[in-house]
Amino acid sequence: MEKVKIAIVEDNSEFAQSCANTLSVMEEVDQVEVFASTEDLSQNHQNKFDLVFMDIVLPGKSGIDYIKERSDLDNDPKYIMLSTLDTDDALIQAMKAGAVGFVLKKDLKDIKEVARMVMREGGILSPGAAAKVISFFRKPQSKETHSLTPREREILNHIINGYRTKDIARNFGTKEGTVRIQIKSIFKKLQVNSRVDLVRKYSRF
Protein backbone atom coordinates (compact mmCIF):
# COMPACT_ATOMS: atom_id res chain seq x y z
CA MET A 1 0.00 0.00 0.00
CA GLU A 2 1.26 3.46 -0.90
CA LYS A 3 2.21 5.41 2.20
CA VAL A 4 0.55 8.74 2.93
CA LYS A 5 1.90 12.15 3.85
CA ILE A 6 0.12 14.02 6.63
CA ALA A 7 0.11 17.67 7.67
CA ILE A 8 -1.11 19.06 10.97
CA VAL A 9 -2.13 22.73 10.99
CA GLU A 10 -2.42 23.71 14.64
CA ASP A 11 -1.19 26.73 16.62
CA ASN A 12 -1.01 24.78 19.89
CA SER A 13 2.52 23.48 19.39
CA GLU A 14 2.40 20.95 22.23
CA PHE A 15 -0.85 19.38 21.00
CA ALA A 16 0.35 19.41 17.39
CA GLN A 17 3.64 17.72 18.20
CA SER A 18 1.93 15.08 20.30
CA CYS A 19 -0.35 14.24 17.36
CA ALA A 20 2.60 14.22 14.97
CA ASN A 21 4.60 11.85 17.17
CA THR A 22 1.64 9.45 17.37
CA LEU A 23 0.96 9.49 13.63
CA SER A 24 4.60 9.16 12.59
CA VAL A 25 4.89 5.61 14.00
CA MET A 26 2.11 4.28 11.74
CA GLU A 27 3.23 1.86 9.06
CA GLU A 28 0.89 3.54 6.58
CA VAL A 29 2.50 6.97 7.07
CA ASP A 30 5.50 8.22 5.13
CA GLN A 31 5.91 11.58 6.88
CA VAL A 32 4.15 14.04 9.18
CA GLU A 33 4.77 17.78 9.23
CA VAL A 34 3.41 20.47 11.54
CA PHE A 35 2.40 24.01 10.58
CA ALA A 36 1.23 26.80 12.87
CA SER A 37 -1.04 28.48 10.29
CA THR A 38 -2.67 27.97 6.91
CA GLU A 39 -0.25 30.53 5.48
CA ASP A 40 2.69 28.37 6.59
CA LEU A 41 1.07 25.36 4.93
CA SER A 42 0.54 27.24 1.66
CA GLN A 43 4.04 28.69 1.52
CA ASN A 44 5.91 25.53 2.41
CA HIS A 45 4.20 22.43 1.02
CA GLN A 46 1.17 23.22 -1.09
CA ASN A 47 -0.41 20.20 -2.83
CA LYS A 48 1.95 17.77 -1.14
CA PHE A 49 -0.12 16.01 1.51
CA ASP A 50 -2.72 13.25 1.39
CA LEU A 51 -4.35 14.09 4.74
CA VAL A 52 -4.45 17.41 6.56
CA PHE A 53 -5.58 17.70 10.17
CA MET A 54 -6.74 21.31 10.47
CA ASP A 55 -7.75 23.47 13.42
CA ILE A 56 -10.51 25.99 12.75
CA VAL A 57 -9.34 28.98 14.77
CA LEU A 58 -5.82 29.83 13.63
CA PRO A 59 -3.61 32.90 13.37
CA GLY A 60 -4.45 34.62 10.09
CA LYS A 61 -6.83 32.73 7.82
CA SER A 62 -9.15 30.22 9.50
CA GLY A 63 -9.05 26.55 8.63
CA ILE A 64 -12.54 26.69 7.13
CA ASP A 65 -11.74 29.69 4.91
CA TYR A 66 -8.60 27.95 3.68
CA ILE A 67 -10.52 24.83 2.65
CA LYS A 68 -13.26 26.90 0.97
CA GLU A 69 -10.68 28.51 -1.30
CA ARG A 70 -9.41 25.10 -2.38
CA SER A 71 -12.70 23.22 -2.65
CA ASP A 72 -12.61 22.93 -6.45
CA LEU A 73 -9.14 21.39 -6.65
CA ASP A 74 -9.60 17.67 -7.33
CA ASN A 75 -6.05 16.80 -6.28
CA ASP A 76 -6.39 18.47 -2.89
CA PRO A 77 -5.84 16.39 0.26
CA LYS A 78 -8.58 15.16 2.55
CA TYR A 79 -9.17 17.68 5.33
CA ILE A 80 -10.10 16.62 8.86
CA MET A 81 -11.03 19.37 11.30
CA LEU A 82 -9.67 19.03 14.84
CA SER A 83 -11.40 21.66 16.92
CA THR A 84 -12.58 22.76 20.33
CA LEU A 85 -15.54 24.57 18.70
CA ASP A 86 -18.54 22.44 19.61
CA THR A 87 -21.16 24.38 17.65
CA ASP A 88 -23.59 23.51 14.86
CA ASP A 89 -22.32 26.40 12.76
CA ALA A 90 -18.65 25.36 12.94
CA LEU A 91 -19.50 21.78 12.00
CA ILE A 92 -21.83 22.60 9.10
CA GLN A 93 -19.54 25.29 7.69
CA ALA A 94 -16.62 22.87 7.77
CA MET A 95 -18.62 20.20 5.96
CA LYS A 96 -19.85 22.70 3.37
CA ALA A 97 -16.28 23.92 2.82
CA GLY A 98 -15.18 20.42 1.89
CA ALA A 99 -13.85 18.79 5.06
CA VAL A 100 -14.32 15.01 5.13
CA GLY A 101 -13.99 14.78 8.88
CA PHE A 102 -14.77 16.74 12.03
CA VAL A 103 -13.40 15.58 15.37
CA LEU A 104 -13.80 17.51 18.60
CA LYS A 105 -10.53 17.59 20.50
CA LYS A 106 -12.34 16.51 23.64
CA ASP A 107 -13.49 13.36 21.78
CA LEU A 108 -10.06 12.55 20.32
CA LYS A 109 -8.84 9.29 21.81
CA ASP A 110 -6.63 7.83 19.08
CA ILE A 111 -5.60 10.02 16.15
CA LYS A 112 -4.12 6.97 14.43
CA GLU A 113 -7.59 5.43 14.21
CA VAL A 114 -8.99 8.70 12.87
CA ALA A 115 -6.37 8.71 10.10
CA ARG A 116 -7.04 5.06 9.26
CA MET A 117 -10.79 5.65 9.15
CA VAL A 118 -10.40 8.52 6.69
CA MET A 119 -7.99 6.53 4.52
CA ARG A 120 -10.26 3.48 4.59
CA GLU A 121 -13.77 4.99 4.61
CA GLY A 122 -13.25 8.48 3.24
CA GLY A 123 -14.48 10.44 6.25
CA ILE A 124 -15.16 10.52 9.99
CA LEU A 125 -17.20 12.38 12.60
CA SER A 126 -16.65 12.22 16.32
CA PRO A 127 -19.72 11.14 18.33
CA GLY A 128 -20.65 14.67 19.34
CA ALA A 129 -20.37 15.93 15.77
CA ALA A 130 -22.26 12.98 14.29
CA ALA A 131 -25.31 13.72 16.41
CA LYS A 132 -25.36 17.31 15.14
CA VAL A 133 -25.14 16.24 11.51
CA ILE A 134 -27.94 13.71 11.87
CA SER A 135 -30.16 16.37 13.42
CA PHE A 136 -29.23 18.96 10.80
CA PHE A 137 -29.87 16.78 7.77
CA ARG A 138 -32.99 15.04 9.07
CA LYS A 139 -35.21 17.46 7.21
CA PRO A 140 -38.12 16.86 4.83
CA GLN A 141 -37.06 16.70 1.19
CA SER A 142 -37.83 19.77 -0.87
CA LYS A 143 -40.30 19.32 -3.73
CA GLU A 144 -37.55 20.02 -6.26
CA THR A 145 -35.41 17.09 -5.13
CA HIS A 146 -38.26 14.66 -5.85
CA SER A 147 -37.24 14.86 -9.52
CA LEU A 148 -33.92 13.18 -8.69
CA THR A 149 -33.36 9.45 -8.97
CA PRO A 150 -32.41 7.60 -5.75
CA ARG A 151 -28.75 7.50 -6.89
CA GLU A 152 -28.80 11.22 -7.71
CA ARG A 153 -30.15 11.97 -4.23
CA GLU A 154 -27.29 9.93 -2.75
CA ILE A 155 -24.80 11.88 -4.84
CA LEU A 156 -26.41 15.16 -3.79
CA ASN A 157 -26.00 14.15 -0.16
CA HIS A 158 -22.33 13.32 -0.74
CA ILE A 159 -21.71 16.67 -2.42
CA ILE A 160 -23.36 18.52 0.47
CA ASN A 161 -21.08 16.62 2.86
CA GLY A 162 -17.99 17.78 0.98
CA TYR A 163 -17.11 14.68 -1.05
CA ARG A 164 -15.23 15.21 -4.29
CA THR A 165 -16.13 13.48 -7.55
CA LYS A 166 -13.39 10.88 -7.18
CA ASP A 167 -14.51 10.12 -3.61
CA ILE A 168 -18.11 9.63 -4.72
CA ALA A 169 -17.00 7.37 -7.57
CA ARG A 170 -14.90 5.32 -5.19
CA ASN A 171 -17.78 5.05 -2.74
CA PHE A 172 -20.12 3.69 -5.42
CA GLY A 173 -17.46 1.59 -7.15
CA THR A 174 -17.95 3.39 -10.46
CA LYS A 175 -15.97 5.66 -12.80
CA GLU A 176 -15.46 9.37 -12.19
CA GLY A 177 -16.86 10.06 -15.67
CA THR A 178 -20.13 8.35 -14.76
CA VAL A 179 -20.43 10.42 -11.59
CA ARG A 180 -19.71 13.64 -13.53
CA ILE A 181 -22.59 12.84 -15.90
CA GLN A 182 -24.89 12.24 -12.92
CA ILE A 183 -23.78 15.50 -11.31
CA LYS A 184 -24.55 17.40 -14.52
CA SER A 185 -28.01 15.82 -14.48
CA ILE A 186 -28.49 17.00 -10.88
CA PHE A 187 -27.40 20.54 -11.81
CA LYS A 188 -29.88 20.60 -14.70
CA LYS A 189 -32.81 19.24 -12.69
CA LEU A 190 -32.19 21.56 -9.74
CA GLN A 191 -31.26 24.55 -11.92
CA VAL A 192 -27.88 25.30 -10.37
CA ASN A 193 -24.52 25.93 -12.01
CA SER A 194 -21.99 24.74 -9.44
CA ARG A 195 -21.38 22.68 -6.33
CA VAL A 196 -21.33 25.87 -4.27
CA ASP A 197 -24.81 26.81 -5.51
CA LEU A 198 -25.98 23.28 -4.78
CA VAL A 199 -24.75 23.35 -1.18
CA ARG A 200 -26.16 26.80 -0.53
CA LYS A 201 -29.56 25.91 -1.93
CA TYR A 202 -30.01 22.33 -0.73
CA SER A 203 -27.91 21.90 2.40
CA ARG A 204 -31.13 21.33 4.36
CA PHE A 205 -32.89 18.94 2.00
Side-chain angles (χ1 to χ4, degrees):
M1 182 180 70
E2 186 176 349
K3 293 191 174 184
V4 298
K5 296 179 174 63
I6 298 177
I8 299 171
V9 186
E10 168 64 61
D11 59 337
N12 181 329
S13 58
E14 184 176 347
F15 175 77
Q17 196 56 56
S18 174
C19 290
N21 292 342
T22 301
L23 290 167
S24 63
V25 302
M26 294 174 63
E27 292 183 2
E28 306 96 318
V29 173
D30 179 48
Q31 71 180 80
V32 182
E33 295 192 37
V34 173
F35 303 93
S37 68
T38 57
E39 287 79 7
D40 287 346
L41 176 64
S42 297
Q43 292 171 9
N44 287 278
H45 296 284
Q46 201 166 22
N47 293 330
K48 180 179 180 180
F49 299 99
D50 302 294
L51 301 179
V52 176
F53 286 92
M54 179 87 70
D55 195 2
I56 293 178
V57 180
L58 292 162
K61 187 178 297 177
S62 75
I64 290 175
D65 287 340
Y66 176 84
I67 297 174
K68 280 181 181 177
E69 292 179 359
R70 303 179 61 82
S71 60
D72 292 330
L73 300 179
D74 283 339
N75 62 341
D76 223 28
K78 294 181 184 296
Y79 294 100
I80 306 100
M81 312 309 293
L82 283 178
S83 181
T84 57
L85 291 178
D86 188 7
T87 67
D88 292 354
D89 184 62
L91 170 62
I92 300 305
Q93 289 304 315
M95 296 294 101
K96 285 183 178 181
V100 301
F102 192 103
V103 179
L104 296 171
K105 289 179 180 178
K106 67 180 183 180
D107 292 338
L108 183 64
K109 295 180 173 61
D110 186 354
I111 196 169
K112 297 195 299 296
E113 185 56 33
V114 172
R116 289 193 179 104
M117 181 68 73
V118 173
M119 289 186 286
R120 185 171 63 242
E121 305 293 341
I124 189 171
L125 293 172
S126 64
K132 292 180 183 296
V133 168
I134 292 170
S135 174
F136 185 86
F137 286 108
R138 188 173 288 163
K139 308 289 181 182
Q141 290 185 15
S142 71
K143 292 182 180 179
E144 292 170 288
T145 61
H146 282 302
S147 65
L148 303 180
T149 66
R151 175 53 59 89
E152 287 172 343
R153 282 197 289 270
E154 288 183 84
I155 291 174
L156 173 59
N157 193 44
H158 281 310
I159 291 172
I160 288 170
N161 281 282
Y163 283 79
R164 300 174 180 84
T165 301
K166 62 182 179 182
D167 299 320
I168 297 171
R170 187 183 304 117
N171 182 70
F172 291 130
T174 189
K175 295 180 180 179
E176 287 185 48
T178 301
V179 174
R180 289 194 181 96
I181 291 172
Q182 291 168 316
I183 290 174
K184 286 181 180 178
S185 174
I186 293 170
F187 285 2
K188 184 177 180 180
K189 289 179 179 179
L190 301 184
Q191 299 180 345
V192 297
N193 297 313
S194 69
R195 285 173 175 252
V196 173
D197 291 341
L198 203 61
V199 169
R200 286 173 178 167
K201 192 173 181 181
Y202 293 99
S203 61
R204 292 180 181 272
F205 91 99

